[in-house]
């Protein structure tokens, strides 16, 4: 029969106070096994205190070919940054 | 896409790499870049996986619990490194099964050094010291390679690898400070692993067909001969510290160049082993294929169990 184990993306929180970060991926038959394998593959040296696993097929990613229309509009909106505004040096605490 | 457009994209692509920008899996890339990366990353992954076999030979016979725990941890790391690299490779659209198939059918290569036998405990020392030492020299520059997933995997691999070399050197040191038999055993291991370790850094620059392109893509930052020289220069003093003799009568410090001169490498032997005629090529592949095939029912059972659980969950929801 041979059905391949699906791919899972692994996110690890290195310590409390930090966000979960993408560490890599692995194959497992279900979420529980993905967690157990992620522990062995990605946290052998105390790299984490919490693990999330997400089946890769559930992730929707943006297409780099559309990066122009997605991200470029932000570049000409410099007024979103504090340095855009001219203030005299005498103004303090701002 | 017209040829003109592709050429244009290629120029933009090469310029990005020249600026030290990273390439991510979904970015446009030349087909040759994709293929070269699949080849090199999978070869690297296969080497980690096959590399477990010669060491697995000694886990149950390690001389103490301390040595056994360390060797187990090292072999487990190698499994992990293989997995990091396989998944980095899969981001380029090749499946894990295809990669295994390439290894098992002999289409894909792995490092030829793992086709040598591990006949004494001292071989565990020599492998850690020399083979992992040479691997580190090869791998450190790859932490800066242009393909993001490969570079990230290599950062983790390199971080973990340094214990491998240290545990190997410690084994050698212990043997060299032991009885005459133990010292002889260490010397014998060095004699057998020295030349294959030099070969491991790849054919000479004149023979290396991929070097130029790989340099451009930062898949390689130093040539094979430069890496080999670096390995020799840093390893000779370590051998002296152990009180062992490097099995090369032509090895001599070159005052003028500030490097060691060394003897002729037997490249015929290297190519023989690469082509499948090394002492253990057949055994390694047989063990690997058996492990894969004998594990099939376990993989299938896990999948059947996952499907059953999923079905039960659905039924309960109705």
């Amino acid at each position: 029969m041979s059905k391949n184990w699906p791919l899972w993306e692994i996110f690890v929180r290195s310590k409390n106070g930090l966000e979960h970060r993408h560490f890599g991926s692995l194959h497992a038959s279900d979420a529980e096994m993905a967690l157990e394998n992620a522990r062995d593959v990605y946290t052998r040296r105390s790299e984490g205190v919490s693990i999330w696993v997400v089946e890769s097929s559930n992730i929707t990613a943006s297409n780099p070919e559309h990066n122009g229309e997605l991200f470029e509009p932000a570049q000409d909106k410099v007024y979103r940054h504090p340095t855009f505004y001219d203030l005299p040096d005498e103004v303090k605490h701002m | 896409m017209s040829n003109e457009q592709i050429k244009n994209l290629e120029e933009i692509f090469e310029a990005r790499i020249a600026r030290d920008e990273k390439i991510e899996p979904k970015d446009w890339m030349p087909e040759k870049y994709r293929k070269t990366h699949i080849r090199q990353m999978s070869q690297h992954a296969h080497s980690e996986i096959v590399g477990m076999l010669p060491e697995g030979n000694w886990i149950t016979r390690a001389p103490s619990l301390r040595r056994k725990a360390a060797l187990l941890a090292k072999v487990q790391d190698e499994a992990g490194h293989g997995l990091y690299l396989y998944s980095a490779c899969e981001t380029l659209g090749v499946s894990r099964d295809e990669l295994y198939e390439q290894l098992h059918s002999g289409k894909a290569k792995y490092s030829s050094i793992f086709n040598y036998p591990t006949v004494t405990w001292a071989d565990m020392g020599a492998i850690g010291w020399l083979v992992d030492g040479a691997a580190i020299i090869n791998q450190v520059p790859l932490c800066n390679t242009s393909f993001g997933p490969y570079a990230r995997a290599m950062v983790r691999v390199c971080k973990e690898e340094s214990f491998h070399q240290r545990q190997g050197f410690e084994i050698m040191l212990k043997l060299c400070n032991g009885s005459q038999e133990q010292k002889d055993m260490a010397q014998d291991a060095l004699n057998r692993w020295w030349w294959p370790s030099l070969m491991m850094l790849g054919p000479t620059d004149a023979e290396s067909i991929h070097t130029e392109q790989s340099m451009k893509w930062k898949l390689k930052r130093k040539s094979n001969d430069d890496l080999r020289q670096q390995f020799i220069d840093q390893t000779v003093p370590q051998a002296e510290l152990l009180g062992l003799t490097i099995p090369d009568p032509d090895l001599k410090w070159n005052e003028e160049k500030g490097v060691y001169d060394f003897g002729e490498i037997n490249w015929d032997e290297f190519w023989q082993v690469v082509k499948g005629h090394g002492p253990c090529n057949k055994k390694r592949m047989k063990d690997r294929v058996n492990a894969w095939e004998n594990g099939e029912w376990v993989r299938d059972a896990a999948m059947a169990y996952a499907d059953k659980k999923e079905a039960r969950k659905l039924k309960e929801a109705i």
Side-chain angles (χ1 to χ4, degrees):
Chain A
M1 79 182 169
S2 217
K3 196 174 139 203
N4 294 333
W5 288 359
L7 191 66
W8 301 76
E9 299 303 322
I10 312 304
F11 299 83
V12 176
R13 185 201 296 287
S14 314
K15 60 176 192 185
N16 276 8
L18 295 179
E19 63 277 72
H20 285 78
R21 200 165 61 80
H22 186 235
F23 263 46
S25 46
L26 51 77
H27 289 271
S29 59
D30 59 20
E32 209 177 310
M33 188 197 274
L35 266 181
E36 284 162 5
N37 288 357
R39 167 195 173 270
D40 290 341
V41 177
Y42 292 106
T43 64
R44 287 195 300 284
R45 289 176 176 79
S46 323
E47 288 93 338
V49 294
S50 163
I51 303 173
W52 289 348
V53 300
V54 181
E55 205 174 328
S56 309
S57 59
N58 287 328
I59 289 184
T60 308
S62 67
N63 183 342
E65 278 171 33
H66 303 151
N67 274 7
E69 61 227 62
L70 270 181
F71 304 117
E72 271 168 24
Q75 283 171 14
D76 55 18
K77 294 182 176 59
V78 282
Y79 46 84
R80 283 182 176 148
H81 299 279
T83 46
F84 176 74
Y85 299 93
D86 287 327
L87 265 68
D89 289 346
E90 296 82 67
V91 183
K92 302 293 177 200
H93 309 296
M94 204 177 279
Chain B
M1 238 185 294
S2 72
N3 282 345
E4 183 90 354
Q5 278 171 311
I6 290 179
K7 211 173 147 249
N8 202 6
L9 282 171
E10 274 177 11
E11 272 166 23
I12 296 172
F13 181 84
E14 300 291 349
R16 287 182 65 194
I17 293 184
R19 281 198 302 272
D20 262 335
E21 274 183 41
K22 297 290 177 200
I23 306 302
E24 293 297 340
K26 293 180 125 222
D27 293 347
W28 184 88
M29 60 185 77
E31 192 49 26
K32 199 170 161 218
Y33 181 91
R34 199 180 80 88
K35 284 212 172 110
T36 303
H37 276 77
I38 291 178
R39 195 192 67 237
Q40 181 165 332
M41 283 193 283
S42 66
Q43 235 172 49
H44 198 157
H46 298 328
S47 301
E48 297 283 356
I49 297 302
V50 177
M52 290 192 281
L53 298 169
E55 292 177 304
N57 186 29
W58 282 94
I59 291 175
T60 56
R61 292 177 288 161
S64 69
L65 187 57
R66 183 178 186 273
R67 296 283 175 215
K68 185 174 184 169
L71 186 58
L72 258 176
K74 177 178 194 281
V75 170
Q76 194 192 15
D77 273 352
E78 276 148 13
H81 297 173
L83 293 178
Y84 304 157
L85 290 161
Y86 279 131
S87 44
C89 204
E90 285 171 82
T91 63
L92 289 174
V94 58
S95 75
R96 182 75 59 95
D97 270 38
E98 279 172 78
L99 296 171
Y100 284 160
E101 167 57 29
Q102 288 169 2
L103 172 65
H104 298 162
S105 67
K107 196 181 151 217
K109 298 269 181 277
Y110 55 88
S111 185
S112 61
I113 195 134
F114 301 119
N115 293 313
Y116 289 87
T118 46
V119 293
T120 72
W121 170 251
D123 289 0
M124 295 304 98
I127 288 180
W129 173 36
L130 302 171
V131 178
D132 288 285
I136 290 169
I137 282 187
N138 234 334
Q139 289 170 348
V140 167
L142 288 173
C143 297
N144 278 316
T145 190
S146 62
F147 187 54
Y150 196 23
R152 291 193 285 275
M154 290 319 298
V155 169
R156 257 200 308 271
V157 169
C158 288
K159 239 189 246 169
E160 298 179 354
E161 199 97 26
S162 76
F163 118 71
H164 297 184
Q165 198 190 11
R166 290 174 68 107
Q167 70 92 36
F169 193 79
E170 199 198 69
I171 290 173
M172 295 303 271
L173 197 60
K174 196 86 180 171
L175 290 171
C176 290
N177 290 330
S179 65
Q180 188 58 44
E181 283 92 339
Q182 287 173 316
K183 201 167 174 188
D184 292 345
M185 198 195 269
Q187 180 65 54
D188 166 67
L190 171 60
N191 292 349
R192 283 180 291 107
W193 291 95
W194 175 252
W195 292 104
S197 300
L198 296 190
M199 295 174 198
M200 192 183 152
L201 293 154
T204 57
D205 295 347
E207 298 262 325
S208 179
I209 43 173
H210 303 299
T211 295
E212 201 195 327
Q213 182 67 79
S214 295
M215 287 270 194
K216 221 160 107 196
W217 287 337
K218 299 176 179 168
L219 249 180
K220 214 176 209 178
R221 311 212 90 160
K222 281 183 180 176
S223 77
N224 294 350
D225 288 337
D226 287 347
L227 293 171
R228 194 164 12 249
Q229 189 68 57
Q230 184 189 340
F231 175 73
I232 293 170
D233 292 345
Q234 74 179 42
T235 309
V236 173
Q238 294 167 355
E240 281 165 3
L241 210 135
L242 291 171
L244 296 177
T245 310
I246 304 258
D248 177 359
D250 296 323
L251 189 81
K252 208 174 66 202
W253 178 248
N254 185 324
E255 195 66 67
E256 198 183 313
K257 287 196 249 166
V259 298
Y260 281 92
D261 289 333
F262 55 97
E264 193 73 31
I265 293 172
N266 182 354
W267 290 110
D268 285 343
E269 174 183 324
F270 173 75
W271 292 114
Q272 281 300 313
V273 180
V274 169
K275 283 177 188 143
H277 309 301
C280 300
N281 294 57
K282 288 202 180 68
K283 175 164 171 46
R284 297 290 182 249
M285 257 325 90
K286 194 173 134 241
D287 288 348
R288 170 62 205 154
V289 172
N290 278 347
W292 178 246
E293 285 176 355
N294 294 338
E296 189 177 354
W297 70 272
V298 180
R299 295 191 300 276
D300 287 348
M303 207 59 238
Y305 177 64
D307 288 344
K308 195 174 88 179
K309 267 199 310 189
E310 191 61 32
R312 193 184 301 147
K313 216 164 49 180
L314 275 176
K315 215 168 113 190
E316 277 167 13
I318 301 164

